[in-house]
Structures are given as C-alpha cells and as structure tokens.
Amino acid sequence: MCSVDRRRAAAVLGAVVADAAAQPLHWIYDLNKLDNLIGQAEDIAFWEPSANPYYCIQTGRQSGYGDQAFVILKSLVENKGLDIQSLKDATYNFFGPESDYENPVNAVYKEKSDAQKQTFPIKGPWRHFSVKEFLVNHKAGNEQTGSPTDDQIDGVVRIVPVVAMYAGHPDMLNMAEEVIRVTQESDFTVVVALCAARILEHFILNGPSDQVLEAVIKQMEDPHRANPQELDRAMVGKLREVLHGQQVNHRDIAKQLRID
C-alpha cells in the first residue's frame, strides 16, 4: 500500500504533470471548437501543436497556474517550511517585470472576450489577473498583497504543495489560507481553495476513497472545525449538489454548478 509520504509526493507530481499536459488546450471555451479539434482522439495530453487561443509556450511547460505552484513548492523547500515574506519576494521575482511573464500585450487586465486574432495568442506565458494585482501591491510595499476581487481557480492549484507538506498538521488550513491570500484576498476564493485543501488532505492521509466528499462535508459542518470561514455553509451546499449529480454527464453538471 502506498505510504503517506509517497502520496504527498504524488500529489505534487500529479498536479505538475496534469498542468503541463493540459496547457496546449488551455482556455478553449467554445466546446464545439474543442470537439472539432480533438475529434475522437483518446489521448489529448501534451497536444501539439498548441491550440491555446491566448498564449503559446513550449509543450510540456507549466501554465501560469503550475508556475505559481512551483514557486510555492520551491519556497517551502528552500525555507524548510512556510515563510510568507520569502514567498512574496520569490513570487515577485518569478512573475515580475524582469521575468519572461513581462509582455506589453498582457501588461494590464483584458477581458478574454476582447482578444483580437491579430494579438492573441501572445508568444510567452500568460500573467494572471491576481498575479498582476499582487505585483502592484508588493511593489508598493502593501502588507495585503492579494487581489480582493479575483475569484478564479488559482487558489486551488496554489494549495497543492502546501497540503502535500502539511497534511495532518493541525495548522495546515491556516498555512494554506496564508498562501492563498498572498495573491487572492477574496473570501469566496479562500473558502473554495480551503475546501480543495481538505479534499486533498483526505486523499493524502487515507488513500483512495469514494467517501471523500461526505468526509469533508462532515468536517465543514463541525462547529469546532479548524479554520472556520463564513462561507463554509454555502460551500457544503455546493458539495451536496456535486454528490447529487454524480451520475450526470460531466459537462452538464459542470454547467449546472457554475458560479458566475
């Protein structure tokens, strides 16, 4: 049976490989275009040539999500644990004005619906909105560096190395929240990412489980739970919707559960 330590490593490795594998088909929102592109292909990992409509980088390279997780992982290793100030500095250096993320086309926030064919995909990695706000806040010396409005999925990816290191530790959720808020201050983002942290921790500590959502719901309904959030009750409601939709086609249930 796989040990807890091996599952810690597998969580990080799985996230890294999955991110790189999906990157060439990243952000194709038109499902008809996606279906026409991949056809009946059974293996779409590491798709070549890249069909990413917003940025084009080497196949096998991490997306902006994976790069954020990498910076966190590297900081945890170098500091032998969580050091928030060191993490902020490392994030600024990796994504800042001297990095290959610096691109005049993507220097300020743009609605993806505004993308013009003559401009996109950009040649280089895509700097995410929350990272842009972080860079501004960190440069200004603000203590709160995270975006107060960004509700995107970055936080769920960012917590992977933190949970891998601290699964089973009583302060795991507190540490995960600190890391999330480096770039995202939205309470909605935090509660979603912490829910993901609970799910990942369950798998790391217990191995494969068909009852993980029930276990996490039980945790989040416990009045004495670790790291309570005001939106926990709403998150539990969403988890119950997922459970009720287990037999529904993935695309259909994803549309039903989407929160805009």
Side-chain angles (χ1 to χ4, degrees):
M1 184 176 179
C2 187
S3 69
V4 170
D5 283 345
R6 287 181 66 86
R7 289 196 292 268
R8 293 181 195 275
V12 174
L13 183 60
V16 167
V17 174
D19 178 76
Q23 175 258 111
L25 298 177
H26 192 189
W27 289 341
I28 301 177
Y29 297 111
D30 187 324
L31 293 181
N32 290 327
K33 287 184 179 179
L34 181 60
D35 289 340
N36 290 334
L37 176 67
I38 64 177
Q40 300 300 312
E42 294 184 3
D43 186 358
I44 61 173
F46 302 102
W47 189 269
E48 289 189 294
S50 173
N52 189 315
Y54 297 103
Y55 65 93
C56 184
I57 57 178
Q58 182 180 2
T59 297
R61 180 174 168 176
Q62 300 291 288
S63 75
Y65 298 108
D67 275 346
Q68 289 182 69
F70 169 76
V71 172
I72 295 165
L73 175 65
K74 189 169 184 286
S75 178
L76 289 170
V77 172
E78 290 178 346
N79 292 285
K80 296 181 173 57
L82 181 59
D83 182 320
I84 286 295
Q85 187 56 52
S86 178
L87 174 59
K88 288 181 177 181
D89 293 341
T91 302
Y92 187 88
N93 291 335
F94 193 95
F95 293 98
E98 302 301 320
S99 73
D100 63 352
Y101 271 86
E102 184 72 10
N103 188 306
V105 177
N106 189 33
V108 296
Y109 180 67
K110 293 179 182 292
E111 290 284 351
K112 292 193 178 70
S113 59
D114 293 338
Q116 300 297 316
K117 289 183 178 179
Q118 66 267 28
T119 304
F120 294 90
I122 63 173
K123 302 301 181 183
W126 186 275
R127 185 186 281 155
H128 292 199
F129 176 57
S130 60
V131 174
K132 293 175 185 178
E133 290 212 359
F134 161 81
L135 295 175
V136 172
N137 290 328
H138 186 68
K139 183 178 181 180
N142 297 337
E143 182 176 353
Q144 180 177 308
T145 54
S147 167
T149 59
D150 186 81
D151 287 337
Q152 299 181 82
I153 204 66
D154 302 49
V156 170
V157 183
R158 290 172 60 81
I159 56 91
V160 172
V162 184
V163 180
M165 174 171 275
Y166 289 108
H169 191 288
D171 289 330
M172 183 277 289
L173 290 171
N174 293 332
M175 294 181 183
E177 181 174 357
E178 284 192 71
V179 169
I180 297 161
R181 291 189 184 276
V182 167
T183 55
Q184 292 174 292
E185 273 287 341
S186 160
D187 288 342
F188 174 79
T189 300
V190 170
V191 75
V192 170
L194 290 180
C195 180
R198 291 178 187 272
I199 291 171
L200 180 57
E201 181 184 46
H202 184 89
F203 281 123
I204 289 174
L205 297 180
N206 301 287
S209 171
D210 293 332
Q211 303 298 314
V212 61
L213 293 187
E214 289 88 345
V216 169
I217 287 172
K218 184 177 180 180
Q219 282 185 33
M220 296 180 72
E221 289 183 327
D222 184 346
H224 305 295
R225 65 191 177 278
N227 195 283
Q229 301 286 323
E230 289 186 6
L231 296 176
D232 280 348
R233 185 174 180 181
M235 197 68 237
V236 166
K238 281 298 175 183
L239 291 178
R240 293 194 188 281
E241 288 185 47
V242 172
L243 283 173
H244 294 155
Q246 286 183 96
Q247 304 306 316
V248 180
N249 175 274
H250 174 74
R251 284 188 177 181
D252 293 336
I253 194 64
K255 290 177 181 178
Q256 292 177 32
L257 295 175
R258 179 171 177 171
I259 302 174
D260 291 315

